[in-house]
Amino acid sequence: MKTLKVSLAILGLTLLSLVLWMAASGLLMGPMGVEVIQ
Amino acid sequence: MSPSEAQALQALAIVFLTNTLVLTYLILRSKWHGLRLAGVVFLMYFGVYSFLSTIEALAFNTALEIQPNLLWFTLVAALMLTLVFAPLSVWWLGKRRPTTGPLPSDNIGAGLTKKEMAIKLLVLAALVYPALYISFGYFVAWQNPDVRLLYTGSTEILPFWTQAWNAFTNPAWFYPFQIGRAFVWIGLAWLVMRSTKAGWVETGFIVGLNFALLMNAQHLLPNPFMSESIRLSHFLETAGSNFIWGFVIVWVLHRPHHSLADLFNRDAHKRHRHRGHPVNVPV
């Protein structure tokens, strides 16, 4: 049960990080004048 | 979504999964809980993942040519991420409230006098860190001609001591700058040492793992400043040196040492393996 809880927490935190990073990119890159370089 | 965007998203997911795994290990082995533990997680995550790597990138920005706006963006975005991540990770991993069961009453690193601490800090920051930095830099990253071409514009390789002297004297601020970074690393390791319930060897492993991967997993991400070959060289260089650096900090600071020989004294290690409490050994 504890292993399952920890695994779910790890999965949730990874997804949360991805969402937060993409949200930060969406919110900040334009106003901070960051150009997307390919 | 284009194939390159999908590839970047996949790499980003691997980076965040790696960061989450190493921080989970740190959190689950902590004897602290709640906001105090969240503070350690935040400082460790933001400090290693963003602050220490961004100031290092700034030091080499003549070669890397990263736009200042992009560096500011990564700092602010990492601040947002880590501020949310730290309390949620502590909560979701069940460390909001105190852990039940016996906890060590003493801390790793307890018992060091101010004089011993000062000597050890000076040796670690002024000698050990620069030595690891330049050795891994030269014998791992610098062996790749692409790396030499990026930073010097030439693939020529100089002898180790010449290269080390050049690196630390030109520019003149570079050596003091690396000593400053070393003190930040030591501060972060010290926080983990005070908060952990693990023995010193495991704590060294936890600190080493976090130092190695929080900073370097991002080398997996494709970026316009470094080719794949350069990213791989930097990953091997900094992951290796950071792991050893983290472990060495804990090894040197985990207990008082009466002499240099005492640092390598296995019997003393056995006596102190239980968090500084000598074990009663029947004679």
Side-chain angles (χ1 to χ4, degrees):
Chain A
M1 191 62 188
K2 175 135 194 222
T3 311
L4 180 68
K5 273 187 184 174
V6 170
S7 304
L8 284 174
I10 290 170
L11 186 67
L13 288 164
T14 305
L15 290 174
L16 174 83
S17 304
L18 265 177
V19 171
L20 283 171
W21 192 262
M22 287 193 287
S25 303
L27 283 173
L28 297 173
M29 282 180 96
M32 290 182 80
V34 179
E35 294 165 24
V36 179
I37 307 163
Q38 295 295 331
Chain B
M1 188 183 289
S2 70
S4 66
E5 284 173 335
Q7 197 189 4
L9 190 65
Q10 195 181 11
L12 197 60
I14 294 171
V15 170
F16 287 134
L17 176 64
T18 308
N19 292 349
T20 305
L21 283 171
V22 293
L23 285 165
T24 296
Y25 186 22
L26 184 154
I27 293 166
L28 293 179
R29 296 300 286 147
S30 179
K31 66 181 176 187
W32 290 359
H33 64 276
L35 277 179
R36 208 173 174 201
L37 178 57
V40 175
V41 175
F42 166 71
L43 287 172
M44 193 73 170
Y45 199 178
F46 180 73
V48 178
Y49 175 71
S50 181
F51 178 72
L52 282 164
S53 52
T54 303
I55 59 171
E56 180 78 347
L58 263 179
F60 288 101
N61 211 23
T62 316
L64 295 172
E65 296 177 341
I66 303 173
Q67 357 158 5
N69 287 355
L70 183 56
L71 287 173
W72 276 111
F73 160 73
T74 54
L75 265 181
V76 177
L79 187 67
M80 284 172 63
L81 166 69
T82 51
L83 273 174
V84 177
F85 181 98
L88 281 182
S89 60
V90 169
W91 179 25
W92 290 357
L93 288 163
K95 300 285 280 188
R96 204 160 50 122
R97 300 195 186 287
T99 317
T100 51
L103 286 174
S105 57
D106 207 353
N107 291 313
I108 296 180
L112 271 79
T113 62
K114 281 182 185 168
K115 186 184 166 193
E116 183 179 348
M117 183 61 115
I119 293 169
K120 285 181 168 179
L121 289 180
L122 204 63
V123 171
L124 282 170
L127 295 177
V128 178
Y129 184 65
L132 277 170
Y133 184 94
I134 200 69
S135 301
F136 274 79
Y138 186 85
F139 293 109
V140 181
W142 214 240
Q143 299 306 309
N144 180 345
D146 293 344
V147 172
R148 300 198 295 274
L149 191 63
L150 174 69
Y151 293 104
T152 66
S154 153
T155 55
E156 184 194 2
I157 187 160
L158 298 170
F160 174 72
W161 291 110
T162 314
Q163 183 63 38
W165 177 257
N166 288 348
F168 283 127
T169 54
N170 184 26
W173 53 262
F174 194 71
Y175 180 57
F177 167 72
Q178 291 303 341
I179 292 177
R181 283 182 83 235
F183 279 118
V184 178
W185 285 113
I186 295 168
L188 293 171
W190 186 250
L191 265 179
V192 179
M193 288 170 69
R194 305 304 283 184
S195 64
T196 188
K197 60 185 174 189
W200 83 263
V201 175
E202 190 185 354
T203 305
F205 188 70
I206 293 170
V207 172
L209 211 57
N210 274 274
F211 280 9
L213 294 175
L214 285 181
M215 174 175 265
N216 296 300
Q218 46 199 320
H219 281 125
L220 294 170
L221 288 171
N223 69 63
F225 309 102
M226 293 178 189
S227 66
E228 199 177 326
S229 144
I230 294 173
R231 285 190 286 117
L232 178 66
S233 290
H234 276 319
F235 178 82
L236 296 174
E237 170 207 5
T238 33
S241 65
N242 281 4
F243 180 84
I244 295 172
W245 171 231
F247 193 89
V248 167
I249 295 172
V250 178
W251 172 44
V252 172
L253 297 181
H254 82 278
R255 69 171 175 88
H257 295 95
H258 308 296
S259 63
L260 197 60
D262 189 26
L263 198 62
F264 300 92
N265 188 337
R266 284 192 61 206
D267 291 339
H269 155 65
K270 281 176 191 163
R271 282 199 299 279
H272 285 85
R273 68 184 167 182
H274 294 289
R275 323 302 315 284
H277 300 295
V279 176
N280 292 322
V281 182
V283 183

